[in-house]
Amino acid sequence: MYFVFIDEAGTPGYKKGKTPDGYFTLAGMIVKGENILKLERELQRHKLDYGLPPQEEFKWGSKYSSVGWSYDEYANFREGVFQIIENLAETIIGVVLDKGESYKKNYINDHCDLYQQALYLMMERINMWYEDTGVIAAPTIFVIDSRKNNKEADLDEKLAKSFRGALRTGTYYHQGFPWFSHSPFFSTSEESTGLQLADYCAGPIQQYFSTGKDEWYQKMRGKIRKSPGGKVSGYGIKTFPGRPTIQL
């Protein structure tokens, strides 16, 4: 059994009256079921080593000054998180949507449509990774960072319906996904170690696309899915629409 933990960076929507711009990133971290408890224990131990409560989330974008760290301590903490991912995750897959170009598509009209498109591309790449590695008949459970809020309490259910629809009808490149769970599970990142680590996968990708700064992206690049020749673009990171404008 495999678990896919999916977190986002950036926002899929845009303010009314404004032109959509920037990027929206989904990152999926694939973990074998037998490694889930190890994942939890390693991250909890790592937090304790840095004086953090083991059950408390420290996000990719959290300010290190908020916990009294120096930048070096902050960088070392991040390095340790990446080492946990390196040791216990199978691979990382990213999907990056150019919001300005995506919203020009006639089938992307709001943030739900944009997120759905990113999720479909993620599902395809995960299925392709199975084909790469020869994984057969491996039940796969998706755990997605909850999107619902006080204004839109049905966001998770809308996404679940889209997910189930893709299972029934397939997507452009895949006829179906027979080993994916019937419906994804939604959780807050505070309650899921896997989602907390997926946050550290999405953050560096979004940072690289948005700012061109690739220090942290390069540190996790080795874990991203690649072609047999080592190519990341289109394999481990799918950009939409079109090809990336940066070197992956």
Side-chain angles (χ1 to χ4, degrees), residues 144-182:
I144 302 176
D145 192 26
S146 176
R147 300 192 66 226
K148 67 181 180 181
N149 54 54
N150 292 334
K151 291 184 178 180
E152 296 182 276
D154 63 343
L155 287 180
D156 289 350
E157 180 54 31
K158 286 181 178 179
L159 189 59
K161 288 180 179 178
S162 297
F163 182 91
R164 292 192 293 269
L167 295 186
R168 288 193 303 271
T169 64
T171 59
Y172 186 81
Y173 287 106
H174 286 273
Q175 295 300 312
F177 306 92
W179 307 117
F180 291 0
S181 58
H182 173 66

Side-chain angles (χ1 to χ4, degrees), residues 50-121:
Y50 282 80
L52 296 175
Q55 305 298 335
E56 184 176 300
E57 180 180 17
F58 190 79
K59 289 181 174 291
W60 160 263
S62 296
K63 295 183 181 298
Y64 59 88
S65 59
S66 67
V67 291
W69 289 345
S70 66
Y71 179 78
D72 286 344
E73 288 173 314
Y74 179 56
N76 289 337
F77 178 81
R78 280 183 167 181
E79 292 269 12
V81 171
F82 287 148
Q83 192 59 54
I84 293 170
I85 295 170
E86 174 66 30
N87 293 343
L88 294 173
E90 297 301 304
T91 196
I92 297 166
I93 294 174
V95 175
V96 182
L97 275 65
D98 180 321
K99 290 166 59 176
E101 294 301 315
S102 295
Y103 274 106
K104 292 178 182 178
K105 303 293 184 182
N106 60 14
Y107 52 88
I108 298 179
N109 299 301
D110 61 20
H111 62 95
C112 291
D113 293 339
L114 191 83
Y115 198 113
Q116 174 181 290
Q117 177 66 19
L119 181 62
Y120 286 177
L121 295 171

Side-chain angles (χ1 to χ4, degrees), residues 1 7 21 37 67 96 99 106 125 157 171 176 188 204 240:
M1 177 180 290
D7 200 9
D21 61 359
L37 289 180
V67 291
V96 182
K99 290 166 59 176
N106 60 14
R125 265 67 201 168
E157 180 54 31
T171 59
T188 61
F240 178 88

